[in-house]
Amino acid sequence: MKFKSIAILALITVFYTSCKKDLGNYVYSPPSEPVVSGINNATFAALLGDTLTINPKVTLAGADPFKDLDFEWHITVQEELREAVYKGYPLKMVYNLGPGSRDCKLTITDKRNGLFYTFPFKITGTTQFSAGTLVLSNDNGVTKLSFVKPDKTVLVNIYKSLNNDDLPINPVELYYSKPLQYQPNTKEEYWVLSNDPNKSGVVLDASTLLKRKDFASQFFSPPAVINTGYLEPFLGPLQMGTVPTGVINGKLYVGVSSTAPFADDYGKFANEQSGDYTMSKYFTHGSSFFIGYNLKGKAFITFGADGTYSGTNYQTDPASTGFDPKNVGYDNLLFMKPTEGGLSYAFFKTATSTITELSFSYPIGDDRMFKSLGKRTFKGSALIDDDTKWVVNSLNVFYFSSKGRIYRYNPINEDIRQLDADFGGKKISMIKISLDDNTLTVGASGAVYTLDISVSKTGNITKTISGIPGEPIDIVIR
């Protein structure tokens, strides 16, 4: 037994001595590690819609970092429970991940040995869309949305850049759904409305211009085809906030206002306002009624305050003999914007291609007495063509386009005057008037112009935004 113990000790001594002697016989050369500066725990600001580039300095001793390393960037999108992953160096992308702070990491893999290294950082997304101008245009059949910064920089086709998708064709309107100041969490959106048989439009987040949903989801039960005439905000009967209201598929639609303004269903469309009519896109909603024109019945029609169809169930003033509002006889309404209780005008193109001007009033109150006041041939009939655009100010002074120029028409004395603005012969595709009646915003191929039409001014151009792709269709200025 004693002999065995001595033998074991001797054996251990031999092994220990051998290892000790062999200790200096190995040369260990650890692989070089990548050195990355300017990213670890750093925070980078990203402006939505602009290009974000992150290119930290990377060195790798004894090797080429851009040949021997793989780069993978991970950005956490918490609200969507996902990660956005990008590969390569540097990180370069059009930032479209929404505002707010996002946790990120850069993972570097050494292709020589498979080792990987992780560097955490943050991206804070900010938006540039809170102030500026959004322009909807038709560029040779392709719908485009461009954003104009306050410094006049134009972000062309911004929807495509941010959403990597095309907008529906045949754009008709850019509807701005404003949040309610006294109601938290109410939505702020842009609706790009189009008459595309395959997709009627999209709804965008106003702060990011990222797509939220298709316009069809604005309906509880969407029609098979959605043709938008015109929408505008309307203060609902409960006075809680504005809801979208307008003409779709020739019918009046009034958004639901019976829920809280921050609820998902607020402002959605239920059923059309039923009735035997095909409504023009030109209408007015007053405090206790809607008034429009029935293209099918060739008559003026009315609706109750809640949108209930009343048709021609209104009184006519027996003393007014200008025309029969229940049997007008024309089915091509060019323009109309009735005023509540005041003098109003409507312009129709007749079978002989002349323009007929009707004047009337629809007073405030419960008597619902329609007064037809006059009928005559519009003095500017020869100037009106298929592309003519119209607007009217609060004093019933009209502005219309003709062959690349804009004219002012006062129906009181039938005075027609050409404005000073010269658009170089380009076709005018859009006219909008400011709420104070002092400016016109005019769209012509490639540009948007601001015209001064205030008192004593004759429509000179005061501002031009160039670089708009195609023909401007609509515009929202924030």
Side-chain angles (χ1 to χ4, degrees), residues 69-106:
L69 302 176
D70 278 335
F71 298 82
E72 194 167 272
W73 311 77
H74 297 254
I75 305 174
T76 300
V77 187
Q78 184 65 41
E79 65 271 23
E80 299 178 15
L81 300 177
R82 69 179 180 92
E83 272 192 340
V85 180
Y86 303 87
K87 294 184 178 183
Y89 180 92
L91 172 63
K92 189 171 184 179
M93 60 178 289
V94 175
Y95 192 75
N96 64 352
L97 299 179
S101 179
R102 303 201 176 276
D103 293 326
C104 313
K105 65 181 179 181
L106 166 62

Side-chain angles (χ1 to χ4, degrees), residues 29 61 94 266 268 272 276 278 283 298-299 311 331 379:
S29 299
V94 175
Y266 189 83
K268 291 186 70 171
E272 63 189 43
D276 184 20
T278 300
F283 71 96
K298 302 179 183 179
D331 59 4
K379 189 177 179 180

Side-chain angles (χ1 to χ4, degrees), residues 10 42-43 85 102 129 151 156 161 177 183 210 226 298 330 349 389 408 414 423 438 465 472 476:
T43 299
V85 180
R102 303 201 176 276
F129 305 122
D151 65 0
V156 176
S161 299
S177 177
Q183 287 283 353
L210 296 177
I226 302 173
K298 302 179 183 179
Y330 304 126
K349 186 174 182 179
K389 309 299 179 186
R408 179 184 185 272
E414 296 188 272
F423 309 102
N438 288 331
I465 299 173
V476 172

Side-chain angles (χ1 to χ4, degrees), residues 132-406:
T133 301
L134 198 63
V135 182
L136 178 67
S137 62
N138 187 342
D139 188 12
N140 292 318
V142 179
T143 303
K144 293 183 178 178
L145 198 64
S146 301
F147 187 78
V148 185
K149 296 182 180 181
D151 65 0
K152 292 188 178 182
T153 301
V154 181
L155 303 180
V156 176
N157 205 11
I158 188 66
Y159 178 86
K160 175 77 171 183
S161 299
L162 290 174
N163 297 276
N164 195 30
D165 194 12
D166 290 320
L167 287 164
I169 61 173
N170 299 323
V172 295
E173 184 182 355
L174 183 59
Y175 178 86
Y176 179 33
S177 177
K178 297 181 181 180
L180 304 177
Q181 295 181 357
Y182 59 90
Q183 287 283 353
N185 301 320
T186 51
K187 300 172 185 176
E188 184 176 18
E189 299 173 333
Y190 293 114
W191 299 1
V192 181
L193 304 176
S194 303
N195 285 337
D196 185 332
N198 299 312
K199 184 189 293 185
S200 59
V202 295
V203 176
L204 311 180
D205 185 302
S207 64
T208 65
L209 300 187
L210 296 177
K211 179 181 174 180
R212 281 183 171 173
K213 56 188 177 181
D214 288 324
F215 178 60
S217 64
Q218 178 64 25
F219 298 78
F220 289 107
S221 297
V225 177
I226 302 173
N227 285 310
T228 304
Y230 174 71
L231 294 180
E232 63 182 33
F234 168 59
L235 188 61
L238 298 181
Q239 306 279 306
M240 294 179 66
T242 57
V243 294
T245 303
V247 181
I248 299 170
N249 293 343
K251 300 293 185 180
L252 180 65
Y253 277 80
V254 180
V256 170
S257 60
S258 56
T259 62
F262 52 80
D264 288 340
D265 290 345
Y266 189 83
K268 291 186 70 171
F269 297 123
N271 297 323
E272 63 189 43
Q273 304 303 314
S274 61
D276 184 20
Y277 68 95
T278 300
M279 190 171 171
S280 163
K281 68 177 181 179
Y282 301 112
F283 71 96
T284 287
H285 60 259
S287 57
S288 60
F289 66 90
F290 289 79
I291 182 170
Y293 188 78
N294 182 5
L295 299 172
K296 178 180 178 182
K298 302 179 183 179
F300 288 94
I301 53 176
T302 59
F303 301 78
D306 61 353
T308 301
Y309 179 65
S310 300
T312 57
N313 184 25
Y314 51 78
Q315 301 288 328
T316 57
D317 187 351
S320 58
T321 58
F323 60 92
D324 182 0
K326 299 181 180 182
N327 185 24
V328 176
Y330 304 126
D331 59 4
N332 191 352
L333 176 59
L334 299 179
F335 184 72
M336 175 183 74
K337 190 63 179 175
T339 57
E340 185 171 12
L343 184 62
S344 300
Y345 295 87
F347 299 86
F348 295 84
K349 186 174 182 179
T350 69
T352 59
S353 296
T354 58
I355 310 301
T356 294
E357 173 190 315
L358 303 183
S359 57
F360 60 94
S361 68
Y362 193 77
I364 303 171
D366 297 329
D367 58 348
R368 301 176 67 239
M369 181 72 72
F370 194 107
K371 297 182 180 180
S372 56
L373 302 176
K375 176 181 179 179
R376 65 190 179 192
T377 299
F378 173 50
K379 189 177 179 180
S381 291
L383 294 170
I384 305 303
D385 54 39
D386 292 339
D387 295 321
T388 294
K389 309 299 179 186
W390 299 74
V391 291
V392 61
N393 70 11
S394 59
L395 299 176
N396 268 332
V397 174
F398 294 81
Y399 296 86
F400 63 91
S401 64
S402 176
K403 300 174 178 62
R405 303 303 295 253
I406 296 179

